[in-house]
Amino acid sequence: MTQAARRRSYEEFLSRFPEYASARSLDELRASDFARLDERGQTYLDYTGGALPARSHIERHMELLLSGVFGNPHSANPASSAMTALVERARRAALAYFHGGDDYALIFTPNASGALKLVGESFPFAPGGRFLAAADNHNSVNGIREFARARGARVDYAPLAVPALRLDLPAVRALLEEDDAGERLFAFPAQSNFTGVKHPLELVEEARARRWRVLLDAAAFAPSNRLDLSAVRPDFVTVSFYKMFGYPTGVGALLARHEALALLRRPWFAGGTVNFASVGAQRHRLARGEAAFEDGTLNYLSIPAVEMGLELMERTGVETIATRVRALTGWLLEELLALRHSNGRAMVRLYGPATVEHRGGTVTLNLYDPEGHLLDYRRVEELAGAEGISLRTGCFCNPGAGECAEGLTGAEMLAGYALGDDINLHSFLRLMQDSGRNKSAGAIRVSMGMVSNWDDVSKFVEFAEGFRDQTRLGIGQVTFDIDSCRVVRDGS
């Protein structure tokens, strides 16, 4: 596209999405803290995978570490005490950011998955109890079902409604209304990491009113939305801070209502989690509150960077981020749906809502050739990388949303399971193609975040346009033949 054409396209975009201009402060932030993107010609569209760290955030953290002496918090010596003070300050800052007040405790974990495992392994599942999960969930939530089953609890999935892949609310409410004698846990994401769907947070109170404990996965939601725990009050919330502001990695959190935390029963103890432990008596007493759940030594040198990241979010304005992400997502959806081959066939299939209503900045799709055959998303990712575009492909650790999106049946999934230890995403895709099913086992995901701009999104649209009328994907000297589903050398 020529510069003049790009300028006309941008002006037309602004006329359709004038709210984009109200977030100009993000352009200034990109120039000051993320200049490396444009200096290196990089188009980053993987914010759901992880946000990018701001230069000033890293510099501020490094300055702190180099200006003090900080030791392992589990002591009263000066270096340890100084570190303890910073860890507790970060804990208070995170609770304040999410408006947890005095009702919530915050437990630092390695990531959101670690927080989810804490809940799963400690929840009092038993015969007569139940674990209900949305079909649209990350595998780290799905894994909780193994704890529930091992202890005799019933496991159910709340279905999705096609084609938007939102929770089927009548079915969800019917499942919530069923009575059980034991403890019950309902888990769903505030925002899907697969489709970007924002599931209704009203379900939290509806479920709690029916005597359910509620686990809300906010990992994909928190980077561009405000989660206010004084208004929405789940029993457990999980987040990963690197998804919010890119740095530090290796630090997440479980926010838990105090009375829900008291319900959990840890299956073991570790260093730092006990007030008393004896080898001779073979007895132990867990510490109170969050200390009982923070196993061993925390990633203590990184934790002060959490407070700095939250301050960056506050200065930037999560509402400002949301405004820009919404505008970019709306334009991207419209442009992708308009793409057609010369014979009139659609080039793109979207998974999830086709509008920005109740959805975030995660857009998942597949590309198809003029005859309606699926283009291999793995090759698309390679070609995108050659253009300096960072996107993500695969199933995004969310099999339920993918199965529903592609209409994969239980029988087909069992056929994949029957492959034994040889099963992986690629072998399952081969199985589907060999059996004549034009179904995908994965997709292409592009996602916007804090400093995404129109140039990023328009570059991806131009890239997608390049597949018009193509049935073969070239990878350097290698070509992927869609019809035979095999790699061949040029000229062969």
Side-chain angles (χ1 to χ4, degrees):
M1 185 185 295
T2 66
Q3 285 298 109
R6 286 186 66 79
R7 187 163 51 252
R8 288 194 300 273
S9 182
Y10 179 62
E11 290 170 355
E12 192 267 340
F13 158 71
L14 288 178
S15 70
R16 285 156 58 188
F17 297 93
E19 65 273 21
Y20 178 87
S22 69
R24 291 194 190 279
S25 59
L26 297 178
D27 297 323
E28 298 168 7
L29 179 64
R30 179 164 173 146
S32 65
D33 276 75
F34 301 87
R36 59 193 185 275
L37 281 169
D38 300 313
E39 290 169 355
R40 300 184 182 185
Q42 292 291 306
T43 300
Y44 188 77
L45 292 170
D46 191 25
Y47 284 88
T48 301
L52 295 174
R55 181 187 181 94
S56 61
H57 184 186
I58 296 172
E59 290 175 341
R60 186 180 171 198
H61 184 226
M62 291 301 104
E63 182 180 352
L64 171 71
L65 296 184
L66 294 173
S67 65
V69 179
F70 304 111
N72 189 322
H74 292 161
S75 184
N77 66 61
S80 179
S81 297
M83 194 70 249
T84 298
L86 289 174
V87 168
E88 294 309 312
R89 199 169 88 178
R91 193 188 310 275
R92 291 192 297 273
L95 279 168
Y97 180 86
F98 292 108
H99 298 171
D102 296 329
D103 294 331
Y104 283 83
L106 185 137
I107 298 157
F108 285 117
T109 63
N111 43 42
S113 294
L116 290 162
K117 185 172 183 286
L118 277 179
V119 177
E121 70 181 9
S122 304
F123 195 82
F125 292 117
R130 189 148 50 120
F131 176 54
L132 173 62
D136 180 8
N137 257 317
H138 192 278
N139 264 339
S140 297
V141 178
N142 290 326
I144 294 174
R145 74 188 185 202
E146 302 306 310
F147 293 116
R149 281 178 176 158
R151 296 174 200 153
R154 174 180 157 191
V155 175
D156 287 318
Y157 276 98
L160 305 179
V162 293
L165 301 180
R166 302 185 187 278
L167 278 169
D168 183 338
L169 293 181
V172 173
R173 289 177 174 128
L175 287 164
L176 291 174
E177 286 170 2
E178 294 180 17
D179 198 20
D180 299 279
E183 289 289 347
R184 306 180 298 176
L185 181 65
F186 173 41
F188 73 99
Q191 179 173 311
S192 173
N193 77 314
F194 191 105
T195 62
V197 164
K198 292 181 182 177
H199 296 297
L201 296 180
E202 294 82 1
L203 286 173
V204 172
E205 287 309 312
E206 288 185 36
R208 293 188 71 236
R210 292 173 171 82
R211 205 177 53 79
W212 287 83
R213 300 290 180 176
V214 178
L215 168 58
L216 185 70
D217 178 6
F221 181 83
S224 57
N225 299 275
R226 174 72 72 178
L227 179 61
D228 183 350
L229 295 181
S230 68
V232 179
R233 302 175 61 78
D235 296 281
F236 309 103
V237 180
T238 56
V239 295
S240 278
F241 292 111
Y242 76 91
K243 289 185 181 289
M244 296 175 66
F245 34 78
Y247 179 83
T249 57
V251 183
L254 169 65
L255 295 99
R257 290 168 56 90
H258 289 294
E259 54 97 10
L261 194 63
L263 183 73
L264 302 185
R265 295 291 179 265
R266 298 222 62 193
W268 82 313
F269 66 93
T273 66
V274 288
N275 288 335
F276 174 86
S278 168
V279 172
Q282 295 192 32
R283 296 290 186 272
H284 73 278
R285 294 285 185 186
L286 282 175
R288 295 181 182 273
E290 64 269 2
F293 295 85
E294 293 179 341
D295 295 333
T297 301
L298 292 171
N299 189 356
Y300 58 87
L301 289 177
S302 292
I303 287 175
V306 169
E307 181 182 11
M308 298 170 185
L310 294 170
E311 289 172 356
L312 172 66
M313 292 287 286
E314 292 285 18
R315 289 195 305 273
T316 304
V318 71
E319 294 78 11
T320 301
I321 297 170
T323 296
R324 174 151 291 194
V325 167
R326 182 182 174 91
L328 291 172
T329 303
W331 184 80
L332 176 61
L333 292 170
E334 291 179 5
E335 294 296 307
L336 290 175
L337 289 171
L339 293 179
R340 291 287 186 275
H341 291 291
S342 296
N343 64 4
R345 277 187 182 268
M347 294 173 59
V348 171
R349 179 184 174 188
L350 287 175
Y351 301 110
T355 71
V356 294
E357 292 305 311
H358 305 296
R359 67 121 67 230
T362 300
V363 177
T364 299
L365 64 135
N366 265 315
L367 293 165
Y368 290 80
D369 75 4
E371 301 307 313
H373 299 131
L374 176 71
L375 297 181
D376 191 295
Y377 57 84
R378 297 163 297 179
R379 307 303 176 186
V380 172
E381 183 176 24
E382 289 188 46
L383 289 170
E387 297 292 324
I389 300 173
S390 292
L391 47 79
R392 191 167 292 262
T393 64
C395 67
F396 321 118
C397 296
N398 189 333
E403 290 167 28
C404 187
E406 281 293 333
L408 292 164
T409 65
E412 289 168 335
M413 300 311 296
L414 285 172
Y417 179 74
L419 294 175
D421 292 341
D422 292 332
I423 184 62
N424 57 39
L425 196 57
H426 297 167
S427 61
F428 184 78
L429 179 60
R430 236 178 358 257
L431 175 68
M432 290 296 98
Q433 292 168 332
D434 290 346
S435 61
R437 300 175 177 91
N438 191 31
K439 294 182 180 182
S440 176
I444 303 158
R445 186 180 76 185
V446 297
S447 50
M448 284 70 73
M450 183 182 286
V451 292
S452 296
N453 63 17
W454 180 81
D455 284 331
D456 294 331
V457 179
S458 66
K459 185 171 181 179
F460 175 73
V461 171
E462 281 185 61
F463 170 74
E465 286 175 336
F467 293 97
R468 181 174 285 114
D469 297 335
Q470 286 199 28
T471 58
R472 293 160 66 92
L473 302 183
I475 311 292
Q477 297 302 307
V478 177
T479 299
F480 190 78
D481 190 311
I482 296 300
D483 295 324
S484 65
C485 194
R486 66 188 180 92
V487 175
V488 295
R489 293 285 170 186
D490 282 357
S492 63

